[in-house]
Amino acid sequence: MQTGVTETEEERLSALYSFRILDTATEQDFDDIAELAAAICDMPISLISFVDKDRQWFKSVKGIGLRETDIASSFCKYTVASKEVFVVEDARKDLRFANNPLVTRQPNIVFYMGVPLLSEEGYALGSLCIIDQQPRQLSDYQKQSLKTLARQTMDKLELRKKLFELQDAKSEIVKLKDERYIKENEAREVIEHAPMAMALHVGRDMTIRFANSSMLQAWDKDEKVFGLPFADALPELRELDFPATMREVYDSGIPYRNEDARMSYEYQGEIREFYYTYAFTPLKTPEGKVWGLLNTALDVTEIVQSQLTVERAEEQLRLAVDSAELGTWHLDLKTNQLSLSPRSMEMFGFETTEEVSLEAAIGRIEEHYRGLVNSSIQAAIEENQPYDVEYPILSSDTKRCWVRATGKAYMVNEHGPTMFSGTLLDITERKEEDRRKNDFIGIVSHELRTPITSISGYAQVLQRKAQSLAEPAMADIARKTKQQADRMTKLINGFLDIARIGEGKIRLERSAFDMAELVKEAEDESLTTITSHEVVFKPVEFTPVEADQDKIRQVLINLINNAVKYSPPRSRIQVACVTEGNHAQVSVKDEGIGVPLKDHDRIFERFYRVENEQMKTVKGFGIGLFICKEIIELHGGQIGVESIPGQGSIFWFTLPVIIQ
């Protein structure tokens, strides 16, 4: 856009360009008007001029050899600006034009009169002007004649424009017809070569507009059914109530789909059984009115009949499971009946002849882990989440067996999952190895705490002594020593927590409290200790929970500190707690470096750290989030992350609320 051009001038230029007159060849009609204007006014020069952005261009010229001039020397721009008849009786005496090159040199303009060329919308496009090399005055008759000729000029321009518009409209209609023809052919080609049976129905009687060869084959018909209502074309399917279902979709505009539907009808002279997955999709106008249906069907008869093959495959799978010494289990969600394989019965310490209920099996799980198992089962069934949990089984007073249980809830109809099954793997040996490692970590951590505590105390004493002696350098060294000792203490405490988790020694001191109060405590602590970031706590309503208040506070503070650690200074951190259903959800949102999608599932693992260039500058051992996860899961809650690298992260956890 040219600097200084107003919005009104842009509109005027747009109107000018819409006439498509600039830089066109001479036309006799316009030349005649210019000739007539010069003759009526007895002038040597007459022009039909159009004022462009940076020039004035002449459609018709009488008396000079120019076709355009620079806008700076234009007389007509004044006519355009005023939208009125513009007269200069003697340009040599007019300060606006005395030094104009069109006055001082050829064509030596002295007298000028311009009549604006106004469009129907009122935009001044240019002027019909007359010029002389001596002062002149015109009679009223001559002036009125020029105005009439200017209107005739615009009439011709408007007519010319409408002719262009008609031509454009005609071309557009032809183009749309061609495109419609092409699209209809393309649609037919797509339907014809689609990998499933497809048909197009129109109107409430479901008239068959078109069907591909797959659908005609399924109907056992040919193209003679095109143009017939569905009920008339396929009377053998009337008993299956297809017409009623199709009309319901047509009237409601709601798609209908049926999976693996069994149907029997006459096909090639005999009653045969088929299985189809079919759908009726309403086709709507831009205004939302249904005008037809797309009928799609997929023959799954062979798939259903192949279930015997699948059963044989399942038998082979059972053999593989037995070879791997895996136990299997199956829970019927309708009857709540639990079935355990012999290997699973052995792990739980049941006799193979016993009938085992779900409650009896959970009763063999170590009490500390029952809440975790129950919440994981509930999440797998109600939220379709993967079931993968490790827990110890006390099969007798002396025997303790660790297992890893995996499974999934399966849908067999649209009414929700009805099966829940999976496997059990004995991981006692691995757990024993982990316990030995944790024992080592615990012993080393305990041994380190005493000297670290002493170092921290000595550093505090040294700092105070240095301050009293006005030794700032020594005081700073002591302060930094104290900071490093505190950091080492936190690391040691983290390792001790890991050891306790591995040994199952973390005990929850549950009590009823309000999450709003806990969040307020965290807010007070954060606003006191965090000065590098803006930490915003959203208002929290009364949210009663029963949990270990200190450990939940530990989790929340850890997530806030992580947000500070992994986001740039002065950025915002938002903390919120809301109730969704039967759970309270706490979230900490930052504007930091984010977590790649591939690391979302592993970031809560013990000692796991995201590997990238930004993380190389951030210290840590990858134990904080692991401890948070263990604490939350011991409460029967969940923890997770939503993140986009470079845009920040939202770490969240949930806790069951107390139902009032």
Side-chain angles (χ1 to χ4, degrees):
M1 184 184 298
Q2 185 179 7
T3 304
V5 178
T6 65
E7 182 178 355
T8 302
E9 177 64 5
E10 288 182 2
E11 294 173 353
R12 187 194 72 79
L13 289 172
S14 178
L16 171 62
Y17 298 152
S18 71
F19 283 86
R20 292 184 261 186
I21 192 68
L22 296 177
D23 299 313
T24 57
T26 59
E27 297 179 45
Q28 190 63 46
D29 287 349
F30 293 105
D31 289 346
D32 289 346
I33 292 175
E35 187 78 29
L36 186 57
I40 290 173
C41 298
D42 191 22
M43 294 283 177
I45 301 172
S46 66
L47 306 168
I48 296 177
S49 171
F50 295 98
V51 177
D52 198 358
K53 183 167 55 177
D54 52 10
R55 62 172 178 160
Q56 61 178 0
W57 179 82
F58 309 133
K59 174 65 177 175
S60 292
V61 181
K62 165 67 177 174
I64 60 174
L66 300 174
R67 288 305 302 270
E68 67 178 48
T69 66
D70 189 273
I71 195 69
S73 59
S74 170
F75 280 65
C76 293
K77 69 181 180 182
Y78 292 92
T79 305
V80 169
S82 66
K83 294 186 180 181
E84 302 287 345
V85 175
F86 181 70
V87 180
V88 180
E89 293 183 351
D90 191 339
R92 297 168 300 183
K93 298 178 181 180
D94 193 314
L95 294 177
R96 292 172 295 179
F97 304 106
N99 296 320
N100 191 307
L102 298 179
V103 175
T104 59
R105 296 193 296 273
Q106 286 292 334
N108 302 113
I109 297 174
V110 175
F111 175 83
Y112 170 90
M113 177 177 173
V115 181
L117 300 176
L118 298 174
S119 70
E120 292 179 350
E121 296 82 9
Y123 294 110
L125 311 180
S127 71
L128 170 62
C129 62
I130 53 175
I131 297 171
D132 204 344
Q133 285 122 351
Q134 60 184 352
R136 291 286 302 273
Q137 288 187 347
L138 298 183
S139 66
D140 291 340
Y141 167 76
Q142 289 172 318
K143 292 178 181 178
Q144 188 60 43
S145 296
L146 279 179
K147 292 179 181 179
T148 301
L149 290 173
R151 286 196 298 273
Q152 290 180 354
T153 301
M154 280 307 306
D155 288 344
K156 292 183 180 295
L157 283 171
E158 294 286 357
L159 178 60
R160 187 176 181 276
K161 179 181 179 183
K162 286 180 171 56
L163 289 174
F164 279 131
E165 290 174 348
L166 286 174
Q167 291 174 356
D168 291 344
K170 183 178 179 181
S171 299
E172 185 65 21
I173 290 172
V174 172
K175 179 182 176 183
L176 290 174
K177 286 183 177 178
D178 291 342
E179 289 180 352
R180 179 181 176 184
Y181 177 78
I182 292 171
K183 289 186 179 299
E184 285 183 354
N185 283 340
E186 288 177 346
R188 284 176 175 265
E189 285 294 316
V190 169
I191 293 175
E192 178 59 39
H193 295 94
M196 63 174 59
M198 299 181 72
L200 176 63
H201 305 269
V202 295
R204 198 168 183 275
D205 62 355
M206 300 297 115
T207 297
I208 301 171
R209 172 73 64 81
F210 178 73
N212 63 8
S213 56
S214 296
M215 184 63 83
L216 291 174
Q217 182 180 356
W219 289 341
D220 193 24
K221 302 292 181 182
D222 57 25
E223 295 181 358
K224 293 178 182 178
V225 299
F226 293 178
L228 297 178
F230 185 87
D232 296 341
L234 298 159
E236 57 270 30
L237 297 183
R238 190 174 302 166
E239 297 299 325
L240 299 178
D241 207 27
F242 281 145
T245 304
M246 296 167 79
R247 280 194 298 273
E248 183 179 345
V249 173
Y250 186 91
D251 293 338
S252 67
I254 300 173
Y256 175 84
R257 180 180 176 87
N258 198 339
E259 299 274 353
D260 300 343
R262 177 182 175 275
M263 58 188 72
S264 298
Y265 59 90
E266 185 178 342
Y267 183 84
Q268 295 182 352
E270 61 177 326
I271 301 298
R272 293 180 56 181
E273 182 178 85
F274 296 92
Y275 288 87
Y276 278 98
T277 292
Y278 65 91
F280 301 132
T281 304
L283 304 175
K284 302 179 181 180
T285 65
E287 294 77 24
K289 183 178 179 181
V290 177
W291 60 268
L293 295 182
L294 181 64
N295 177 1
T296 59
L298 183 64
D299 187 345
V300 294
T301 306
E302 292 185 3
I303 297 175
V304 174
Q305 291 174 345
S306 67
Q307 291 302 315
L308 292 176
T309 304
V310 173
E311 291 176 3
R312 287 194 293 270
E314 289 178 347
E315 179 62 27
Q316 293 174 350
L317 177 61
R318 281 193 290 271
L319 291 174
V321 167
D322 291 342
S323 299
E325 295 189 348
L326 288 172
T328 60
W329 51 270
H330 173 83
L331 179 63
D332 188 324
L333 298 179
K334 290 183 177 179
T335 62
N336 212 34
Q337 182 177 356
L338 178 66
S339 299
L340 298 175
S341 69
R343 176 61 175 148
S344 295
M345 297 282 279
E346 179 185 349
M347 293 182 192
F348 274 93
F350 294 118
E351 297 294 332
T352 55
T353 56
E354 289 185 66
E355 289 188 6
V356 181
S357 65
L358 178 62
E359 292 74 16
I362 291 179
R364 291 290 176 95
I365 298 172
E366 193 170 291
E367 183 179 1
H368 184 59
Y369 288 85
R370 291 174 191 171
L372 171 62
V373 173
N374 280 322
S375 62
S376 299
I377 292 174
Q378 185 176 2
I381 296 173
E382 297 180 358
E383 303 173 21
N384 198 31
Q385 293 189 8
Y387 176 70
D388 190 344
V389 62
E390 296 179 358
Y391 53 83
I393 298 172
L394 299 176
S395 57
S396 66
D397 293 338
T398 59
K399 188 176 180 181
R400 188 170 186 252
C401 172
W402 273 90
V403 297
R404 178 188 179 188
T406 59
K408 182 176 176 59
Y410 294 94
M411 301 270 293
V412 297
N413 54 47
E414 65 274 14
H415 301 298
T418 58
M419 292 191 306
F420 184 39
S421 59
T423 63
L424 286 175
L425 175 65
D426 188 335
I427 58 170
T428 305
E429 185 175 344
R430 173 168 68 80
K431 283 294 184 177
E432 284 297 316
E433 180 64 25
D434 289 343
R435 184 188 61 79
R436 288 189 288 270
K437 292 179 182 177
N438 290 330
D439 287 345
F440 175 76
I441 292 173
I443 292 170
V444 172
S445 299
H446 277 295
E447 292 299 321
L448 288 174
R449 290 184 72 175
T450 300
I452 290 298
T453 302
S454 299
I455 292 172
S456 179
Y458 294 148
Q460 249 181 319
V461 173
L462 183 60
Q463 183 180 6
R464 292 172 184 167
K465 187 70 173 177
Q467 288 172 342
S468 66
L469 296 176
E471 293 285 349
M474 184 63 69
D476 186 58
I477 291 173
R479 178 183 60 80
K480 291 179 179 178
T481 301
K482 176 70 166 55
Q483 287 179 344
Q484 294 301 317
D486 291 344
R487 178 172 174 269
M488 182 63 73
T489 299
K490 290 181 180 179
L491 289 175
I492 291 171
N493 289 337
F495 288 134
L496 285 173
D497 284 339
I498 289 177
R500 294 188 188 104
I501 290 170
E503 296 172 0
K505 292 182 179 179
I506 286 189
R507 295 291 181 264
L508 300 181
E509 300 294 334
R510 293 179 181 266
S511 63
F513 64 91
D514 181 8
M515 280 297 298
E517 295 180 359
L518 186 145
V519 173
K520 185 63 174 67
E521 293 175 7
E523 179 179 5
D524 294 340
E525 179 178 340
S526 298
L527 294 179
T528 302
T529 59
I530 300 173
T531 59
S532 58
H533 292 68
E534 179 187 1
V535 186
V536 178
F537 287 79
K538 295 185 178 180
V540 182
E541 297 181 352
F542 175 68
T543 308
V545 297
E546 185 176 355
D548 188 318
Q549 188 168 357
D550 289 337
K551 287 183 170 55
I552 299 303
R553 184 189 296 107
Q554 176 186 346
V555 172
L556 178 55
I557 294 299
N558 185 282
L559 296 183
I560 295 173
N561 290 338
N562 276 357
V564 172
K565 184 188 299 185
Y566 297 107
S567 57
R570 317 265 52 100
S571 63
R572 174 175 289 191
I573 297 168
Q574 300 180 57
V575 183
C577 176
V578 297
T579 300
E580 296 182 355
N582 296 329
H583 288 79
Q585 178 165 308
V586 180
S587 62
V588 179
K589 179 181 180 182
D590 64 52
E591 301 171 352
I593 60 178
V595 181
L597 181 61
K598 65 181 180 63
D599 295 306
H600 284 194
D601 293 336
R602 300 198 60 195
I603 197 169
F604 295 97
E605 294 180 6
R606 180 173 53 177
F607 302 127
Y608 185 80
R609 279 174 55 83
V610 176
E611 296 295 335
N612 57 41
E613 290 298 321
Q614 294 168 303
M615 288 293 295
K616 291 181 179 179
T617 61
V618 182
K619 297 178 180 179
F621 286 93
I623 59 176
L625 289 177
F626 168 73
I627 294 171
C628 290
K629 175 177 180 291
E630 294 296 323
I631 291 174
I632 294 302
E633 289 184 348
L634 285 174
H635 282 84
Q638 295 178 326
I639 190 168
V641 61
E642 301 168 10
S643 181
I644 299 176
Q647 297 184 24
S649 304
I650 301 176
F651 281 86
W652 56 268
F653 66 85
T654 63
L655 291 173
V657 297
I658 298 175
I659 306 300
Q660 298 294 312

